[in-house]
Amino acid sequence: MISISAALCGLIFLIKKERIGEILQLGWPLIALCLCYTASLAVHPSFTALKHSLAVLSITLFFFFYVQNGSTIRRNPIFLIGATMASIAFLMPSLLGLNMKNFDGGMAFYGMCVIVFLFMGNRPPNSSIAITIAIAFGAATSIYGYLIDFRMLITYGMLLALCYLLLSWRPGLTRLYRSSFLLLITTIGATMFFYMNIENSLYLTEINDFFIRTTDRPALSGRQILWPAIASAISENPWIGLGAGTLPSDIIDTDFSAHNYYLQVTLQVGLIGLTLALTCVYRIWRELFKAKRKASSLIFAIATLIIFVLHNASEVIMFQNALRVAIPAWIIFFIATSSSIREATQSDESI
């Protein structure tokens, strides 16, 4: 269903023939990542590799469509009603306990993000209504995470609200888009180092003991076993990976994903693929941070993007496994990018 919807979006993009060159120039890393997975699929064919390749292609086609039409679509009442109903429906799996909490909790989180993003609109980011919505969103998602026993959702809800408040009070921080992206990636790298070495370091073990004393739950979650094994497998072919369909179950006895998109994409298509994936994110990151008009919806989209990048350090949702979790987030980013580009174009034309 997702692939069919993506194909229709790609067809509309081509038929409309509007700003195709500009959008292709912005989205070249996505195209390159698609080609990377396709080449790996040709060398290491498997159904899983095909599935992963189609997932990347689907997000790419959604990118084309929503960046081309997002600034108009977000004002369409049919889209607003449909997106709101779909986002509410994303709450159902977690409320009914139908899926794994990491997936259904993520669906609920980004579904609610879509509703807030659309409702924020063009209000000033530091308006009382926008601030109240952001705080209420953070509180609601944190409570929701507690109720479904998804402790990271508590953290994500609080962090998103704090990021919004910080950027709404200090919008000048968005000029630091290069250093902020580097800081975020460095933080993720430090977290990965923590888990990979926690059982070999007395100091890191003490940090885990602190978690147990304060939360009655360990920082360990199996990643201290998964991630070193994956890193070791990556070292066998670091540049092009072991194949687009490779999973942790192919290298160790486990049914889990890598619980880290950045490790899993490197396992599959190497450092080349990882670089392309990060470049995809950075292109969107730069467009949102550099936008001239800092409306509340844009600031919320930036805050959501920060959380999305962090979330993929503990789950594999960016371009594969749980694509249904990532699509609402990508739609937010693509529509915000479309609006930013449209406003920049109109500003240049008025000069």
Side-chain angles (χ1 to χ4, degrees):
M1 181 66 95
I2 291 174
S3 297
I4 293 173
S5 300
L8 291 174
C9 286
L11 182 61
I12 294 172
F13 167 75
L14 293 174
I15 291 175
K16 193 170 182 180
K17 296 180 180 179
E18 181 180 315
R19 299 161 55 214
I20 290 181
E22 179 186 7
I23 294 170
L24 290 177
Q25 183 179 7
L26 177 64
W28 71 262
L30 280 164
I31 299 172
L33 186 61
C34 283
L35 294 175
C36 187
Y37 267 88
T38 301
S40 183
L41 169 64
V43 176
H44 306 283
S46 70
F47 176 75
T48 304
L50 175 63
K51 184 172 66 173
H52 292 163
S53 300
L54 287 175
V56 178
L57 177 61
S58 295
I59 295 298
T60 302
L61 294 176
F62 284 132
F63 167 85
F64 292 156
F65 174 77
Y66 280 103
V67 173
Q68 182 188 62
N69 305 288
S71 58
T72 303
I73 287 176
R74 70 182 297 177
R75 298 190 296 270
N76 187 302
I78 297 176
F79 172 78
L80 292 174
I81 294 172
T84 301
M85 292 178 63
S87 298
I88 293 173
F90 284 169
L91 295 169
M92 293 300 105
S94 55
L95 290 175
L96 300 176
L98 299 177
N99 297 319
M100 294 174 61
K101 66 179 182 181
N102 290 22
F103 287 170
D104 54 33
M107 286 177 63
F109 180 77
Y110 292 113
M112 288 187 285
C113 283
V114 171
I115 295 175
V116 173
F117 169 75
L118 294 174
F119 187 76
M120 283 277 197
N122 292 322
R123 292 181 177 85
N126 58 354
S127 67
S128 58
I129 295 178
I131 294 296
T132 301
I133 292 172
I135 294 174
F137 172 84
T141 52
S142 296
I143 293 171
Y144 191 78
Y146 175 79
L147 292 176
I148 65 173
D149 193 28
F150 185 11
R151 59 179 176 175
M152 283 308 298
L153 195 59
I154 301 173
T155 304
Y156 294 148
M158 294 174 61
L159 277 178
L160 196 153
L162 288 173
C163 287
Y164 180 88
L165 293 175
L166 177 62
L167 292 174
S168 64
W169 289 332
R170 295 289 185 269
L173 291 174
T174 56
R175 292 194 295 266
L176 306 175
Y177 61 92
R178 293 188 185 91
S179 55
S180 60
F181 187 77
L182 180 61
L183 175 62
L184 190 57
I185 297 303
T186 301
T187 301
I188 291 171
T191 303
M192 293 167 61
F193 176 85
F194 170 80
Y195 276 101
M196 289 182 182
N197 293 276
I198 192 169
E199 294 188 331
N200 301 319
S201 168
L202 179 61
Y203 176 70
L204 295 179
T205 301
E206 290 176 352
I207 295 178
N208 184 53
D209 293 339
F210 171 77
F211 270 94
I212 296 173
R213 289 195 303 271
T214 55
T215 68
D216 291 327
R217 299 179 69 172
L220 303 180
S221 58
R223 292 177 177 87
Q224 78 282 4
I225 300 173
L226 271 173
W227 289 0
I230 294 170
S232 177
I234 289 171
S235 66
E236 297 176 14
N237 203 343
W239 290 106
I240 61 174
L242 304 183
T246 307
L247 295 172
S249 58
D250 296 317
I251 58 175
I252 60 174
D253 184 18
T254 180
D255 293 328
F256 293 112
S257 72
H259 280 282
N260 182 305
Y261 172 75
Y262 310 109
L263 274 177
Q264 186 147 312
V265 71
T266 310
L267 177 68
Q268 293 167 355
V269 287
L271 292 173
I272 293 174
L274 174 64
T275 301
L276 290 173
L278 290 176
T279 305
C280 293
V281 175
Y282 179 72
R283 298 284 283 188
I284 299 297
W285 179 283
R286 186 183 65 179
E287 288 297 325
L288 298 187
F289 273 70
K290 289 180 66 177
K292 294 180 180 179
R293 186 179 181 185
K294 299 295 193 295
S296 58
S297 59
L298 177 73
I299 297 298
F300 187 80
I302 291 174
T304 305
L305 179 55
I306 293 171
I307 300 305
F308 184 69
V309 174
L310 282 173
H311 191 176
N312 275 277
S314 60
E315 298 294 341
V316 181
I317 62 173
M318 188 172 287
F319 290 113
Q320 46 186 270
N321 285 16
L323 205 58
R324 64 186 183 276
V325 178
I327 286 177
W330 282 122
I331 289 176
I332 292 173
F333 309 145
F334 296 160
I335 290 178
T337 299
S338 177
S339 300
S340 175
I341 293 174
R342 180 61 61 90
E343 289 173 1
T345 302
Q346 291 174 346
S347 176
D348 292 340
E349 290 175 351
S350 64
I351 295 176

